């Protein structure tokens, strides 16, 4: 499986809303899948979105029915309803059918992002995963996609972040060159690509890149990230 940015499926028949969400979510580092109707949305599920934003007013399948169909196929993916319907009955029914949150249009982007992060945190916690990884002075927020050393924010390229994310998700385990190459590039490419990104990542997060504390080399095998505190 290729390690891509977290996918968010936006289901809304209003093109301007989809464009707004696409632009806003892209600034947060998400990969956007979108659908203007229920049929397309169900096709997009095959791409394994990490989170779904759903409008209830769709031209072919009613939003409440779509929640029920999605939940029959995927019991865990977080669903955040974003709808102009503000009546209590619509909210209760959506939540009872399996939606994780309900946001009424018009909405503020900052509030929506906060709701999405909360839904993702709850999902990670429900599956026994930490939303924030900490080891020594290193902190990796898997929801916000933020990396810090102490109080300093570290800016990573998309590929550097994906490498770190894979290491975090398997912290303490030795990951072979083969595994990492397939995760990051989807194929067995030249291992030199991996070495280059490991070297770049170490320069940004290690106190002494020549004597790494976080990303440890297992000679002839691969790499291991020091376990969380």
């Amino acid at each position: 499986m290729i390690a891509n940015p977290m996918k968010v499926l936006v289901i809304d028949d209003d093109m301007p809303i989809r464009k707004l969400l696409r632009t806003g979510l892209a600034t947060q580092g998400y990969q956007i899948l979108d659908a203007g109707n229920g049929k397309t949305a169900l096709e997009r599920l095959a791409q394994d979105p990490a989170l779904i934003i759903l409008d209830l007013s769709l031209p072919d399948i009613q939003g409440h029915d779509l929640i029920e169909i999605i939940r029959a196929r995927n019991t865990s993916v977080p669903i955040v309803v974003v709808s102009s319907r503000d009546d209590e009955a619509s909210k209760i029914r959506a939540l009872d059918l399996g939606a994780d949150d309900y946001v009424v249009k018009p909405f503020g982007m900052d509030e929506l992002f906060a709701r999405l992060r909360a839904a993702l945190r709850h999902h990670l916690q429900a599956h026994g995963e930490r939303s924030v990884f900490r080891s020594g002075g290193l902190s990796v927020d898997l929801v916000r996609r933020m990396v810090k050393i102490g109080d300093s924010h570290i800016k990573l390229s998309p590929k550097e972040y994906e490498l770190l994310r894979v290491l975090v998700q398997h912290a303490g385990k030795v990951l072979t060159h083969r595994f990492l190459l397939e995760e990051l590039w989807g194929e067995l490419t030249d291992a030199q690509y991996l070495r280059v990104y490991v070297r770049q990542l170490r320069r940004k997060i290690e106190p002494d890149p020549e004597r790494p504390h976080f990303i440890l080399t297992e000679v002839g095998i691969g790499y291991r990230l020091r376990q969380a505190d």
Side-chain angles (χ1 to χ4, degrees), residues 11 13 37-39 41-42 54-70 81 83 85 90 93-94 97:
I11 309 170
D13 66 341
N37 57 60
K39 180 177 181 295
L42 293 175
L54 170 65
D55 179 31
L56 295 179
S57 300
L58 299 173
D60 54 349
I61 304 175
Q62 285 299 304
H64 289 104
D65 295 335
L66 190 57
I67 294 173
E68 196 166 16
I69 295 170
I70 291 171
V81 172
S83 174
R85 301 184 194 177
S90 290
R93 187 181 176 201
L97 287 170

Side-chain angles (χ1 to χ4, degrees), residues 140-152:
V140 182
D141 189 323
L142 296 173
V143 174
R144 293 175 178 266
R145 299 173 64 87
M146 290 173 51
V147 179
K148 295 171 66 176
I149 295 294
D151 294 326
S152 301

Side-chain angles (χ1 to χ4, degrees), residues 85-150:
R85 301 184 194 177
D86 62 356
D87 60 287
E88 186 174 343
S90 290
K91 295 177 183 177
I92 291 173
R93 187 181 176 201
L95 295 169
D96 282 345
L97 287 170
D100 294 82
D101 204 347
Y102 195 110
V103 179
V104 177
K105 296 179 181 178
F107 54 85
M109 292 299 287
D110 288 342
E111 178 190 359
L112 178 61
F113 291 156
R115 299 286 190 100
L116 299 181
R117 290 193 297 267
L120 287 168
R121 276 196 298 272
H122 295 159
H123 173 72
L124 290 170
Q125 291 165 359
H127 288 76
E129 298 181 45
R130 296 185 183 187
S131 59
V132 180
F133 170 89
R134 293 185 177 88
S135 178
L138 173 65
S139 172
V140 182
D141 189 323
L142 296 173
V143 174
R144 293 175 178 266
R145 299 173 64 87
M146 290 173 51
V147 179
K148 295 171 66 176
I149 295 294

Side-chain angles (χ1 to χ4, degrees), residues 51 157 196 210:
L51 185 142
S157 72
V196 167
E210 299 303 319

Side-chain angles (χ1 to χ4, degrees), residues 200-229:
Q200 291 175 179
L201 187 54
R202 280 173 168 165
R203 286 173 180 166
K204 293 183 178 182
I205 70 171
E206 295 283 2
D208 182 353
E210 299 303 319
R211 297 178 177 79
H213 173 78
F214 299 115
I215 303 175
L216 308 177
T217 298
E218 299 292 338
V219 179
I221 302 174
Y223 301 95
R224 173 172 58 90
L225 185 69
R226 190 175 295 275
Q227 286 183 299
D229 295 336

